[in-house]
């Protein structure tokens, strides 16, 4: 039989019942990609990217750190020296918590020589493997709270800053205020300048200062909303000590919380611009420090791009654009001093990194100390 013409074939198809042939155009399913395909949650998106990047960066250490990031974190109780310290310490010791700073300085590791730490800071933690939790702090008779709960690893940048009596101190990215409060516990700041670009976060900082400090102590702090990236407006060569705790991917939050997650689709551009923002803030901190002054850069991410690479880039910019020499200080003594409390990663090119671990689920915290040339 001769082959059917195209016109005859179309005619036969029109006579096929609807259940056996192709559906009329108006009845066909049209896929709507933008609205019907399932969206990957921001937490899952973050975890997928971390698996790819951190799996290569940390190798066999990553599975343990990954499980820890997805588990309940541990906290430390920063003792408020403006409260009834004796009563607060007694209550914390009754919980079988110990001051990890005191233990480090007075243990076998501390006997190998004094470490340049900011003084007068007390922070209580539970031992490795103990997942007990601290109760909320109670106010004293004048309404001052006795301790502040925070990731104990986030105190390490403050300890590394080595604030001494009479120092002028700048906290360049101060909000929400935990490290600002810790700096004030040293009792050494002649004046503390706290800046942040976010109005809402500055409000949280004010709330913390009012909850933990008497009015007289608050007079020693200047708080302002300011974009630290503007190098032309930076107070140059002023501060003895500068803390630059930059915005980052906040790894633990990114894999655990949907609210304010940097890995949502609408924040992709913001996330991609983070390294430039971090470098600009660190350069601003270097400019603000006096010759001979010290700067500590810190993050709460494991990302090498946001940690070592930012430090190295900022040093290069300071030297090439502003003719400022910068030296990286050795902080390896922190691994020795605090090995009983934290799990450290020993392979950073510059600075120190606390890796989350199930037996000591603090961090991640990266910190690096710089000194301006005289």
């Amino acid at each position: 039989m001769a082959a059917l013409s195209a016109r005859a074939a179309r005619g036969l198809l029109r006579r096929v019942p609807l259940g056996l042939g192709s559906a009329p155009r108006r009845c066909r399913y049209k896929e709507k990609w933008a609205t019907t395909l399932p969206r990957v949650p921001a937490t899952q998106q973050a975890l997928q990217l971390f698996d790819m990047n951190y799996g290569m960066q940390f190798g066999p250490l990553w599975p343990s750190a990954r499980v820890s990031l997805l588990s309940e974190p541990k906290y430390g109780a920063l003792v408020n020296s403006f409260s009834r310290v004796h009563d607060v310490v007694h209550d914390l010791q009754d919980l079988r918590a110990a001051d990890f700073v005191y233990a480090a300085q007075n243990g076998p590791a501390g006997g190998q020589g004094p470490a340049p730490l900011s003084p007068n800071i007390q922070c209580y933690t539970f031992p490795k493997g103990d997942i007990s939790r601290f109760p909320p702090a109670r106010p004293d008779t004048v309404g001052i709270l006795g301790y502040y709960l925070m990731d104990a690893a986030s105190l390490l940048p403050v300890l590394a800053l080595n604030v001494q009596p009479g120092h002028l101190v700048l906290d360049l990215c101060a909000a929400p205020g935990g490290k600002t409060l810790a700096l004030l516990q040293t009792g050494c700041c002649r004046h503390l300048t706290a800046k942040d670009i976010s109005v809402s976060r500055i409000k949280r900082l004010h709330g913390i200062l009012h909850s933990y400090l008497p009015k007289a102590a608050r007079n020693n702090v200047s708080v302002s909303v300011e974009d630290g990236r503007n190098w032309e407006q930076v107070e140059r060569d002023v501060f003895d000590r500068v803390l630059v705790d930059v915005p980052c991917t906040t790894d633990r939050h990114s894999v655990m919380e949907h609210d304010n997650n940097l890995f949502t689709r609408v924040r992709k551009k913001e996330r991609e611009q983070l390294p430039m923002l971090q470098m600009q803030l660190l350069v601003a901190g270097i400019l603000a420090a006096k010759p001979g002054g010290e700067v500590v850069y810190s993050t709460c991410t494991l990302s090498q791009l946001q940690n070592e690479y930012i430090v190295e880039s900022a040093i290069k910019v300071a030297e090439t654009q502003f003719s400022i020499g910068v030296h990286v200080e050795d902080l390896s003594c922190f691994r020795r001093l605090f090995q009983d409390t934290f799990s450290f990663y020993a392979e950073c090119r510059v600075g120190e990194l606390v890796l989350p671990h199930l037996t000591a689920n603090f961090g991640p915290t990266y910190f690096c100390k710089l000194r301006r040339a005289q």
Side-chain angles (χ1 to χ4, degrees):
M1 182 189 298
L4 288 172
S5 68
R7 179 178 297 177
R10 285 196 296 269
L12 285 174
L13 287 174
R14 290 193 193 99
R15 297 189 185 99
V16 176
L18 287 177
L20 301 177
S22 60
R25 182 178 296 276
R26 67 178 180 276
C27 299
R28 292 177 190 166
Y29 170 73
K30 181 179 180 181
E31 185 176 14
K32 298 178 181 178
W33 299 279
T35 58
T36 59
L37 287 180
R39 293 188 178 183
V40 179
T43 52
Q44 190 62 33
Q45 175 78 7
L47 192 58
Q48 290 173 359
L49 289 172
F50 293 167
D51 282 337
M52 180 173 61
N53 295 325
Y54 297 161
M56 294 178 60
Q57 182 178 338
F58 297 105
L61 296 177
W62 170 236
S64 173
R66 184 187 197 271
V67 171
S68 303
L69 283 177
L70 294 169
S71 304
E72 187 73 22
K74 290 187 72 170
Y75 289 92
L78 173 67
V79 175
N80 183 14
S81 60
F82 299 98
S83 66
R84 300 171 64 114
V85 174
H86 180 270
D87 294 341
V88 172
V89 167
H90 183 270
D91 291 344
L92 292 172
Q93 290 175 341
D94 281 348
L95 296 173
R96 300 187 182 277
D99 180 359
F100 82 86
V101 182
Y102 177 85
Q105 291 178 307
N106 293 276
Q112 298 181 28
L117 304 180
S118 298
N120 305 324
I121 292 178
Q122 300 179 72
C123 185
Y124 282 72
T125 58
F126 293 108
K128 274 189 174 181
D130 188 337
I131 58 173
S132 301
R133 302 184 69 179
F134 292 100
R138 298 193 304 268
D140 60 18
T141 54
V142 296
I144 299 296
L145 294 174
Y147 56 82
Y148 180 79
L149 294 180
M150 64 191 303
D151 184 335
S154 63
L155 270 182
L156 297 178
V158 177
L159 290 168
L161 198 57
N162 188 25
V163 180
Q164 295 299 314
H167 277 169
L168 289 175
V169 181
L170 170 63
D171 190 350
L172 191 58
C173 309
K179 292 183 179 67
T180 305
L181 182 63
L183 286 167
L184 292 168
Q185 301 305 314
T186 65
C188 294
C189 302
R190 176 153 51 105
H191 192 82
L192 174 60
T193 301
K195 299 181 180 183
D196 201 277
I197 193 173
S198 169
V199 175
S200 61
R201 287 165 61 87
I202 281 289
K203 288 181 180 178
R204 289 175 60 190
L205 172 58
H206 277 295
I208 287 174
L209 296 180
H210 279 79
S211 297
Y212 287 89
L213 303 180
K215 186 175 181 180
R218 294 199 300 270
N219 292 335
N220 198 37
V221 186
S222 299
V223 179
S224 61
V225 179
E226 190 171 319
D227 186 349
R229 292 173 294 180
N230 193 336
W231 295 342
E232 297 302 322
Q233 296 182 4
V234 171
E235 299 175 87
R236 297 195 184 186
D237 309 326
V238 171
F239 298 95
D240 301 284
R241 298 289 186 267
V242 180
L243 178 62
V244 188
D245 183 46
V246 297
C248 65
T249 48
T250 54
D251 293 358
R252 188 182 290 275
H253 178 91
S254 293
V255 298
M256 292 290 285
E257 303 291 339
H258 293 283
D259 292 342
N260 197 31
N261 194 308
L262 197 62
F263 286 83
T264 55
R265 292 185 180 185
V266 295
R267 301 185 70 183
K268 181 180 179 182
K269 185 175 181 180
E270 179 184 352
R271 189 173 73 246
E272 292 172 343
Q273 293 175 342
L274 265 181
M276 178 58 71
L277 167 64
Q278 293 160 341
M279 189 273 293
Q280 291 171 329
L281 288 169
L282 180 52
V283 171
I286 293 170
L287 294 175
K290 291 178 177 179
E294 297 177 358
V295 180
V296 169
Y297 173 82
S298 65
T299 74
C300 52
T301 177
L302 298 169
S303 169
Q304 202 171 35
L305 176 63
Q306 299 175 66
N307 295 337
E308 295 108 302
Y309 289 166
I310 296 301
V311 171
E312 292 165 346
S313 298
I315 290 173
K316 186 175 295 185
V317 170
E319 291 176 345
T320 57
Q321 294 193 27
F322 300 99
S323 300
I324 295 175
V326 181
H327 173 70
V328 178
E329 297 283 286
D330 180 17
L331 294 178
S332 59
C333 63
F334 274 69
R335 273 179 270 151
R336 168 176 50 83
L337 278 172
F338 300 111
Q339 60 185 336
D340 291 337
T341 304
F342 306 107
S343 176
F344 286 91
Y345 178 65
E347 303 301 323
C348 291
R349 293 202 303 270
V350 290
E352 298 295 331
L353 176 65
V354 174
L355 272 177
H357 191 277
L358 282 179
T359 61
N361 203 4
F362 300 105
T365 296
Y366 173 81
F367 57 107
C368 184
K369 186 174 182 178
L370 310 175
R371 181 188 294 274
R372 268 194 62 169
Q374 291 282 1

